[in-house]
Amino acid sequence: MFRSRSKEEKAPTDKVQADLSKQTRDPQAPKGRATPKRAVAQSQRRSVAAPTNRKEAMKRQREARRVDLAKQREALASGDERYLPARDKGPVRRFVRDFVDSRFCVAEYFLPLAVIILVLSMIRVGNVQNISLLLWLGVIVMIVVDSVGLVIRLKKQLKERFPNEPKRGAVAYGLMRTLQMRRLRLPKPQVKRGERP
């Protein structure tokens, strides 16, 4: 383990060093780039240099994360595919977004309807409270029927358009998007209602 190398083990490295010394560059040949000035080279080294302490490393990491989040927010507003979060990336997710955004969904009006029904249920009149209960039932049934229809159509379209791509979670992604009001959806809708995705 701690013995010295034999002559045969040392010999190959000597041959490699001898070969490298023979392959020198012609001194008159250009090296392909200009030699940078000392100030430029030093400033480049300082800008790429590793952080000197933990505090500085954390500061750089926070700054990088802030820049990434700003790019993601901008991409969510504009629909730029390069900087979207991982859950929104890819052609399958883009198609699902466009498919949902091109249709009218009952589920996107759930929150305003829920507020109206809640206000009606607080009124202390028997008939109004009965009407509010029937409205709850009606809204829930409409949302369920609309969602089942959307799931069937979306699965069919995904099988036709993306037969070889992974589609895991795409239908659930679409259903969650239907629950958001169109104006508040992120990434912003890229198609108008009635347009084909």
mmCIF file of all heavy atoms in Angstrom, residues 48-67:
data_model
loop_
_atom_site.group_PDB
_atom_site.id
_atom_site.type_symbol
_atom_site.label_atom_id
_atom_site.label_comp_id
_atom_site.label_asym_id
_atom_site.label_seq_id
_atom_site.Cartn_x
_atom_site.Cartn_y
_atom_site.Cartn_z
ATOM 1 N N VAL A 48 -16.668 36.397 -11.248
ATOM 2 C CA VAL A 48 -17.002 34.976 -11.259
ATOM 3 C C VAL A 48 -16.550 34.287 -9.980
ATOM 4 O O VAL A 48 -16.927 33.160 -9.710
ATOM 5 C CB VAL A 48 -16.349 34.308 -12.495
ATOM 6 C CG1 VAL A 48 -16.669 32.844 -12.579
ATOM 7 C CG2 VAL A 48 -16.792 35.007 -13.766
ATOM 8 N N ALA A 49 -15.768 34.981 -9.182
ATOM 9 C CA ALA A 49 -15.183 34.365 -7.987
ATOM 10 C C ALA A 49 -16.259 33.832 -7.056
ATOM 11 O O ALA A 49 -17.344 34.381 -6.947
ATOM 12 C CB ALA A 49 -14.331 35.380 -7.251
ATOM 13 N N ALA A 50 -15.926 32.743 -6.384
ATOM 14 C CA ALA A 50 -16.849 32.130 -5.432
ATOM 15 C C ALA A 50 -17.014 33.049 -4.231
ATOM 16 O O ALA A 50 -16.107 33.819 -3.894
ATOM 17 C CB ALA A 50 -16.306 30.782 -4.999
ATOM 18 N N PRO A 51 -18.171 32.990 -3.578
ATOM 19 C CA PRO A 51 -18.367 33.834 -2.401
ATOM 20 C C PRO A 51 -17.374 33.471 -1.297
ATOM 21 O O PRO A 51 -17.012 32.310 -1.131
ATOM 22 C CB PRO A 51 -19.807 33.532 -1.973
ATOM 23 C CG PRO A 51 -20.181 32.280 -2.667
ATOM 24 C CD PRO A 51 -19.324 32.169 -3.882
ATOM 25 N N THR A 52 -16.961 34.482 -0.554
ATOM 26 C CA THR A 52 -15.935 34.258 0.459
ATOM 27 C C THR A 52 -16.498 33.723 1.770
ATOM 28 O O THR A 52 -15.803 33.060 2.507
ATOM 29 C CB THR A 52 -15.175 35.572 0.737
ATOM 30 O OG1 THR A 52 -16.136 36.569 1.121
ATOM 31 C CG2 THR A 52 -14.408 36.015 -0.475
ATOM 32 N N ASN A 53 -17.768 34.025 2.058
ATOM 33 C CA ASN A 53 -18.350 33.527 3.304
ATOM 34 C C ASN A 53 -19.805 33.097 3.076
ATOM 35 O O ASN A 53 -20.371 33.320 2.009
ATOM 36 C CB ASN A 53 -18.260 34.581 4.413
ATOM 37 C CG ASN A 53 -18.940 35.871 4.030
ATOM 38 O OD1 ASN A 53 -19.733 35.915 3.102
ATOM 39 N ND2 ASN A 53 -18.624 36.937 4.752
ATOM 40 N N ARG A 54 -20.378 32.523 4.098
ATOM 41 C CA ARG A 54 -21.735 31.972 3.989
ATOM 42 C C ARG A 54 -22.767 33.072 3.770
ATOM 43 O O ARG A 54 -23.735 32.905 3.016
ATOM 44 C CB ARG A 54 -22.043 31.203 5.269
ATOM 45 C CG ARG A 54 -23.358 30.509 5.237
ATOM 46 C CD ARG A 54 -23.501 29.581 6.428
ATOM 47 N NE ARG A 54 -24.847 29.092 6.444
ATOM 48 C CZ ARG A 54 -25.656 29.149 7.474
ATOM 49 N NH1 ARG A 54 -25.236 29.671 8.600
ATOM 50 N NH2 ARG A 54 -26.867 28.681 7.409
ATOM 51 N N LYS A 55 -22.586 34.194 4.411
ATOM 52 C CA LYS A 55 -23.527 35.308 4.294
ATOM 53 C C LYS A 55 -23.598 35.798 2.845
ATOM 54 O O LYS A 55 -24.679 36.043 2.308
ATOM 55 C CB LYS A 55 -23.098 36.431 5.232
ATOM 56 C CG LYS A 55 -24.101 37.529 5.376
ATOM 57 C CD LYS A 55 -23.649 38.521 6.432
ATOM 58 C CE LYS A 55 -24.664 39.623 6.603
ATOM 59 N NZ LYS A 55 -24.237 40.605 7.600
ATOM 60 N N GLU A 56 -22.429 35.943 2.232
ATOM 61 C CA GLU A 56 -22.388 36.391 0.837
ATOM 62 C C GLU A 56 -23.008 35.345 -0.094
ATOM 63 O O GLU A 56 -23.716 35.693 -1.043
ATOM 64 C CB GLU A 56 -20.941 36.670 0.427
ATOM 65 C CG GLU A 56 -20.824 37.313 -0.930
ATOM 66 C CD GLU A 56 -19.377 37.608 -1.287
ATOM 67 O OE1 GLU A 56 -18.566 37.837 -0.375
ATOM 68 O OE2 GLU A 56 -19.083 37.601 -2.495
ATOM 69 N N ALA A 57 -22.771 34.059 0.186
ATOM 70 C CA ALA A 57 -23.358 32.993 -0.635
ATOM 71 C C ALA A 57 -24.877 33.017 -0.545
ATOM 72 O O ALA A 57 -25.568 32.872 -1.567
ATOM 73 C CB ALA A 57 -22.822 31.638 -0.185
ATOM 74 N N MET A 58 -25.407 33.213 0.653
ATOM 75 C CA MET A 58 -26.862 33.287 0.828
ATOM 76 C C MET A 58 -27.430 34.506 0.116
ATOM 77 O O MET A 58 -28.508 34.445 -0.485
ATOM 78 C CB MET A 58 -27.217 33.333 2.318
ATOM 79 C CG MET A 58 -26.887 32.069 3.075
ATOM 80 S SD MET A 58 -27.784 30.646 2.451
ATOM 81 C CE MET A 58 -29.398 31.013 3.063
ATOM 82 N N LYS A 59 -26.699 35.614 0.157
ATOM 83 C CA LYS A 59 -27.156 36.829 -0.513
ATOM 84 C C LYS A 59 -27.241 36.606 -2.024
ATOM 85 O O LYS A 59 -28.227 36.976 -2.667
ATOM 86 C CB LYS A 59 -26.197 37.981 -0.193
ATOM 87 C CG LYS A 59 -26.605 39.301 -0.775
ATOM 88 C CD LYS A 59 -25.618 40.391 -0.382
ATOM 89 C CE LYS A 59 -25.989 41.707 -1.036
ATOM 90 N NZ LYS A 59 -25.006 42.751 -0.745
ATOM 91 N N ARG A 60 -26.206 35.971 -2.593
ATOM 92 C CA ARG A 60 -26.218 35.676 -4.039
ATOM 93 C C ARG A 60 -27.355 34.715 -4.387
ATOM 94 O O ARG A 60 -28.014 34.869 -5.418
ATOM 95 C CB ARG A 60 -24.885 35.069 -4.469
ATOM 96 C CG ARG A 60 -23.781 36.068 -4.572
ATOM 97 C CD ARG A 60 -22.568 35.433 -5.181
ATOM 98 N NE ARG A 60 -21.440 36.326 -5.163
ATOM 99 C CZ ARG A 60 -20.273 36.044 -5.696
ATOM 100 N NH1 ARG A 60 -20.073 34.886 -6.279
ATOM 101 N NH2 ARG A 60 -19.285 36.916 -5.648
ATOM 102 N N GLN A 61 -27.574 33.732 -3.538
ATOM 103 C CA GLN A 61 -28.631 32.755 -3.799
ATOM 104 C C GLN A 61 -30.005 33.434 -3.759
ATOM 105 O O GLN A 61 -30.856 33.161 -4.605
ATOM 106 C CB GLN A 61 -28.553 31.647 -2.748
ATOM 107 C CG GLN A 61 -29.417 30.454 -3.053
ATOM 108 C CD GLN A 61 -29.209 29.347 -2.041
ATOM 109 O OE1 GLN A 61 -28.609 29.553 -0.981
ATOM 110 N NE2 GLN A 61 -29.701 28.181 -2.364
ATOM 111 N N ARG A 62 -30.234 34.319 -2.795
ATOM 112 C CA ARG A 62 -31.499 35.051 -2.712
ATOM 113 C C ARG A 62 -31.701 35.919 -3.951
ATOM 114 O O ARG A 62 -32.803 36.000 -4.496
ATOM 115 C CB ARG A 62 -31.530 35.919 -1.454
ATOM 116 C CG ARG A 62 -32.015 35.215 -0.229
ATOM 117 C CD ARG A 62 -32.367 36.199 0.878
ATOM 118 N NE ARG A 62 -31.303 37.141 1.190
ATOM 119 C CZ ARG A 62 -30.325 36.945 2.066
ATOM 120 N NH1 ARG A 62 -30.267 35.809 2.724
ATOM 121 N NH2 ARG A 62 -29.420 37.872 2.277
ATOM 122 N N GLU A 63 -30.632 36.570 -4.382
ATOM 123 C CA GLU A 63 -30.720 37.437 -5.562
ATOM 124 C C GLU A 63 -31.062 36.614 -6.812
ATOM 125 O O GLU A 63 -31.904 37.019 -7.616
ATOM 126 C CB GLU A 63 -29.399 38.187 -5.753
ATOM 127 C CG GLU A 63 -29.382 39.137 -6.913
ATOM 128 C CD GLU A 63 -30.325 40.303 -6.751
ATOM 129 O OE1 GLU A 63 -30.666 40.666 -5.603
ATOM 130 O OE2 GLU A 63 -30.761 40.845 -7.783
ATOM 131 N N ALA A 64 -30.416 35.464 -6.961
ATOM 132 C CA ALA A 64 -30.704 34.600 -8.116
ATOM 133 C C ALA A 64 -32.140 34.104 -8.073
ATOM 134 O O ALA A 64 -32.827 34.055 -9.103
ATOM 135 C CB ALA A 64 -29.734 33.414 -8.142
ATOM 136 N N ARG A 65 -32.618 33.740 -6.883
ATOM 137 C CA ARG A 65 -33.998 33.272 -6.744
ATOM 138 C C ARG A 65 -34.983 34.391 -7.062
ATOM 139 O O ARG A 65 -36.011 34.174 -7.701
ATOM 140 C CB ARG A 65 -34.220 32.739 -5.338
ATOM 141 C CG ARG A 65 -35.533 32.010 -5.171
ATOM 142 C CD ARG A 65 -35.685 31.367 -3.826
ATOM 143 N NE ARG A 65 -34.834 31.985 -2.821
ATOM 144 C CZ ARG A 65 -34.223 31.328 -1.857
ATOM 145 N NH1 ARG A 65 -34.355 30.041 -1.736
ATOM 146 N NH2 ARG A 65 -33.469 31.953 -0.983
ATOM 147 N N ARG A 66 -34.661 35.624 -6.629
ATOM 148 C CA ARG A 66 -35.534 36.763 -6.906
ATOM 149 C C ARG A 66 -35.635 37.030 -8.403
ATOM 150 O O ARG A 66 -36.714 37.287 -8.935
ATOM 151 C CB ARG A 66 -35.011 38.008 -6.176
ATOM 152 C CG ARG A 66 -35.954 39.193 -6.215
ATOM 153 C CD ARG A 66 -35.328 40.424 -5.601
ATOM 154 N NE ARG A 66 -34.155 40.887 -6.306
ATOM 155 C CZ ARG A 66 -34.158 41.514 -7.497
ATOM 156 N NH1 ARG A 66 -35.295 41.731 -8.111
ATOM 157 N NH2 ARG A 66 -33.040 41.916 -8.050
ATOM 158 N N VAL A 67 -34.505 36.932 -9.092
ATOM 159 C CA VAL A 67 -34.500 37.140 -10.542
ATOM 160 C C VAL A 67 -35.324 36.054 -11.234
ATOM 161 O O VAL A 67 -36.117 36.340 -12.145
ATOM 162 C CB VAL A 67 -33.045 37.161 -11.072
ATOM 163 C CG1 VAL A 67 -33.005 37.091 -12.581
ATOM 164 C CG2 VAL A 67 -32.324 38.403 -10.578
#
